[in-house]
Amino acid sequence: MRRAGRVVLIGLAVLLLGFAGFLAFAFRPEIAAQASVPSLEPAAVEHGRMLAEVGNCSSCHTTPDGLPYAGGLAVQTPFGTVYSANITPDPETGIGQWSEEAFRRALREGVDRQGDHLYPAFPYDHFTYASDEDIAALYAYLMSQPAVPAETPANRLMFPLGFRPLVAGWKLLYFRPGALTADESQSAEWNRGRYLVESLGHCSSCHTPRNALGAEERAEAYGGAIIEGWYAYPIGATSPAPIAWDVDSLTQYLRTGFVEAHGTARGPMAEVTANLRNVSDEDIRAIATYVASLMGQAAPATADEAAESEAPAAPPQTAESQVVPAAATGQDVGAALYAAACSSCHASGQPQPFGGLDLRRSTALFADSPQNLINMIFYGLPAAEGEPGPVMPGYAGAISAEQLVALVDYLRGAYTDRPAWTDTREIVDATMAGTTTAQIYSTDGVRRDPVVPEPRTQ
Amino acid sequence: MTVTLNVNGVDHTVDAEPDTPLLYVLRNDLELNGAKFGCGLGQCGACTVIIDGHAVFSCTTPILMLEGRQIVTVEGLGTIDDPGPMQQAFIDEQAAQCGYCIPGMMMRAQALLNENPAASEADVRRALHPNLCRCGTHIRILRAVLRAGAAMQNGGAPSGAAS
């Protein structure tokens, strides 16, 4: 008994020592609060504004109906809900008391002014690569914003993740603060693009799959991931785009959110491209140069298909080609639905954006997940307020689950040579039930609720 | 191809091409001219009807999708002699100028109120977003929908007096 008791006591002591050691390891000192915001150079503020557009800061730190950078956006993660911080210079509820040193530590090391670890929903694993000058400019820009008193809601994370020192363990496994070293074998433009993409752009935060602990799978960098109800396509060597992207098409897409050979951004990329509109042409081209190099050379087959499908689909030449199969059951449902509901726009031969995208060019059809295609058919692409833009009617109230599955599977088989999707029914059910919701964005990057009061539930 | 559509509680067997939009069948085959053609693209809402409880653009819905579905048009909300709460509310608020958008507005509003008769003005504004009105009677339409909601909550008793 006594011996067992001693073993237990020693075991407890070891645990306590280990825990204390871990706490010591996780400890970060508080940085003194600054009394007032320092004077800001206009040039730095302007440079910082441009960097904030690249970093897409507002998409997390501004709620759809909130004031700029006042935070409070609920970010859903597999571990619970994290709320974005108020990064206006408000002294009580924002970062008004943060010196530049505190701000730099937050971006470089993921630690706030008080010494608490930040959850990696804030992508400091990318911001750590930002240069001193850029961090200083970003600081100047944020400090120049109007201060908004807005308390950030408390996070709702699964136990025990509310205990912030645990993040130090995550960082030990998955995070190394550091800097990018230029690749001398590449052009200055490529290096500039790499810097922007890997640091503030944090593109792989969405476009790379994550492991069970929420860290990016480095081995599958840019391999695509489901985020916010949309599938962020692979943008590396496994890009599914039927026509290969190049520097020119990527530049146009990033600047405008639209390019004829690929379609239009109406998911979260709409917000990204809306922000990039305010970034210099050189920087956008640099980003495009780097991303195009990630994608590598187009495979010969793709290049041939690209040449062949450059011309829009010819309009139907005879009445026969417009006859809809009479059967609305069994195998032909998908074909019948396409012919009846979709082909009038999508096979019209009208150039983008007046006609529907020629489906032979649709990345959504070639991707590994049918989620984006289902989103578009189900919710449609509503018009933007007071500005022209591509639109598509949604079929949420009219189409049943069986019909949507049939249509989606038919399109995959008819327009691609890829293997059939195996999870169509599951994704259709989740989308129809509202378990998976996707935000539709206007072409100006403004979030638009899917314009459906309630989708069908069968 | 023949399709059986249940419209306003009555089964109709219609002989039309399977890709014919529901709007055309309603107007041409069934002579239910409430739903209107405004754009043919699902962008204006003048063609809105209710299918299985959901407001839908009938101009982009081919009848091939609709075998066995329950379709409700504005004619199903009431008659000239016995208007339903929605129609009575629109009369009371004098919410129509040219009237072209009105059946679509009523159907989308009815779908909302069927789910939530206590819908707030913000709910109504959001729900009616897909329906356009070019004459500018939006404020009256809003008042009419809220009035219909109140009437439905009071057991459907329509208010007789104009406002």
Side-chain angles (χ1 to χ4, degrees):
Chain A
M1 256 317 267
R2 214 188 275 171
R3 181 131 179 201
R6 271 225 312 265
V7 169
V8 168
L9 266 171
I10 292 174
L12 270 174
V14 167
L15 270 174
L16 271 171
L17 270 173
F19 185 63
F22 175 74
L23 280 182
F25 158 75
F27 173 77
R28 296 286 183 280
E30 176 172 342
I31 293 177
Q34 66 183 11
S36 60
V37 174
S39 62
L40 308 167
E41 281 170 58
V45 168
E46 173 54 27
H47 185 52
R49 181 203 61 77
M50 189 275 287
L51 292 170
E53 306 278 22
V54 171
N56 218 26
C57 309
S58 59
S59 76
C60 276
H61 286 280
T62 309
T63 54
D65 42 16
L67 291 167
Y69 303 116
L73 185 76
V75 179
Q76 306 297 343
T77 77
F79 313 101
T81 307
V82 178
Y83 287 90
S84 65
N86 179 346
I87 55 173
T88 69
D90 185 72
E92 269 77 52
T93 59
I95 57 171
Q97 292 180 341
W98 290 36
S99 61
E100 189 184 308
E101 185 200 343
F103 184 74
R104 186 165 50 245
R105 185 173 72 170
L107 266 67
R108 282 273 170 72
E109 300 175 34
V111 177
D112 71 9
R113 186 189 68 76
Q114 290 87 333
D116 290 322
H117 291 277
L118 297 170
Y119 293 106
F122 177 59
Y124 46 81
D125 53 341
H126 287 279
F127 298 157
T128 190
Y129 298 130
S131 69
D132 286 336
E133 301 80 44
D134 283 351
I135 291 179
L138 203 45
Y139 177 77
Y141 170 67
L142 288 172
M143 286 299 169
S144 74
Q145 294 299 299
V148 176
E151 201 68 52
T152 304
N155 298 333
R156 289 198 308 267
L157 291 165
M158 58 170 66
F159 180 82
L161 299 175
F163 184 58
R164 284 184 183 263
L166 285 174
V167 179
W170 185 93
K171 289 177 177 175
L172 189 62
L173 292 171
Y174 299 119
F175 172 61
R176 293 289 171 272
L180 291 173
T181 43
D183 184 341
E184 300 300 331
S185 70
Q186 299 283 357
S187 67
E189 194 179 39
W190 184 94
N191 276 296
R192 173 71 180 159
R194 172 165 167 259
Y195 169 74
L196 289 172
V197 166
E198 299 290 355
S199 69
L200 292 171
H202 71 287
C203 308
S204 77
S205 293
C206 285
H207 283 277
T208 300
R210 290 178 182 265
N211 63 21
L213 288 179
E216 289 180 26
E217 298 268 24
R218 285 284 158 197
E220 293 179 57
Y222 300 107
I226 297 269
I227 187 133
E228 296 177 18
W230 290 91
Y231 180 55
Y233 301 123
I235 55 171
T238 54
S239 163
I243 298 179
W245 290 92
D246 60 19
V247 179
D248 289 324
S249 54
L250 276 169
T251 302
Q252 192 192 334
Y253 174 78
L254 289 171
R255 188 173 30 230
T256 65
F258 166 75
V259 64
E260 164 123 23
H262 297 267
T264 176
R266 294 301 295 273
M269 276 307 287
E271 213 171 14
V272 173
T273 56
N275 287 336
L276 288 178
R277 228 170 270 170
N278 303 316
V279 170
S280 72
D281 287 344
E282 295 79 41
D283 279 343
I284 294 182
R285 194 159 184 94
I287 293 172
T289 304
Y290 178 64
V291 175
S293 86
L294 287 175
M295 291 180 176
Q297 291 289 9
T302 317
D304 284 342
E305 276 159 37
E308 190 243 278
S309 72
E310 274 309 323
Q317 297 302 312
T318 65
E320 261 106 65
S321 59
Q322 297 179 64
V323 168
V324 176
T329 57
Q331 302 275 14
D332 297 323
V333 178
L337 284 170
Y338 174 74
C342 320
S343 63
S344 56
C345 278
H346 281 278
S348 64
Q350 294 240 46
Q352 285 265 282
F354 305 105
L357 179 71
D358 183 336
L359 293 178
R360 291 172 297 173
R361 302 180 181 182
S362 166
T363 306
L365 286 182
F366 283 79
D368 285 343
S369 166
Q371 181 73 63
N372 291 0
L373 180 63
I374 290 167
N375 286 346
M376 286 186 273
I377 299 173
F378 192 69
Y379 297 118
L381 304 176
E385 297 276 1
E387 73 164 50
V391 295
M392 176 175 143
Y395 290 88
I399 202 166
S400 72
E402 287 72 31
Q403 288 168 341
L404 185 49
V405 170
L407 177 58
V408 165
D409 286 342
Y410 162 75
L411 291 173
R412 173 78 159 182
Y415 288 92
T416 80
D417 50 3
R418 300 289 169 102
W421 286 310
T422 52
D423 51 358
T424 312
R425 179 78 206 212
E426 180 194 321
I427 294 183
V428 163
D429 285 343
T431 307
M432 282 190 152
T435 318
T436 305
T437 52
Q439 208 73 36
I440 310 290
Y441 289 78
S442 293
T443 49
D444 55 1
V446 172
R447 279 167 223 250
R448 166 69 51 79
D449 281 328
V451 190
V452 169
E454 242 173 71
R456 297 183 61 91
T457 52
Q458 48 144 37
Chain B
M1 140 179 189
T2 53
V3 150
T4 305
L5 299 174
N6 184 290
V7 184
N8 299 328
V10 176
D11 279 336
H12 299 270
T13 303
V14 169
D15 185 17
E17 292 302 317
D19 60 342
T20 311
L22 172 63
L23 177 65
Y24 293 33
V25 167
L26 290 174
R27 293 182 62 87
N28 299 341
D29 297 75
L30 303 178
E31 296 188 357
L32 295 169
N33 295 313
K36 306 279 185 268
F37 181 97
C39 66
L41 299 171
Q43 296 302 314
C44 76
C47 67
T48 306
V49 297
I50 292 177
I51 298 179
D52 286 346
H54 305 280
V56 167
F57 299 125
S58 62
C59 69
T60 56
T61 307
I63 55 170
L64 141 69
M65 278 183 184
L66 301 176
E67 183 76 45
R69 306 281 182 87
Q70 310 280 326
I71 299 164
V72 181
T73 68
V74 69
E75 292 86 350
L77 296 186
T79 63
I80 292 174
D81 297 316
D82 185 19
M86 182 68 70
Q87 291 158 318
Q88 188 62 55
F90 271 69
I91 294 168
D92 292 341
E93 294 290 345
Q94 287 291 283
Q97 173 145 314
C98 79
Y100 206 76
C101 73
I102 297 297
M105 291 281 186
M106 285 188 182
M107 299 319 294
R108 195 164 298 270
Q110 190 68 53
L112 170 72
L113 294 180
N114 287 346
E115 288 296 316
N116 178 15
S120 68
E121 181 177 318
D123 295 332
V124 174
R125 280 177 181 267
R126 198 173 330 138
L128 292 187
H129 197 284
N131 288 60
L132 305 182
C133 164
R134 299 300 282 173
C135 294
T137 57
H138 306 76
I139 303 298
R140 293 176 181 236
I141 292 171
L142 266 179
R143 283 208 305 259
V145 173
L146 293 169
R147 188 172 185 134
M152 284 168 65
Q153 288 177 86
N154 291 335
S159 156
S163 69

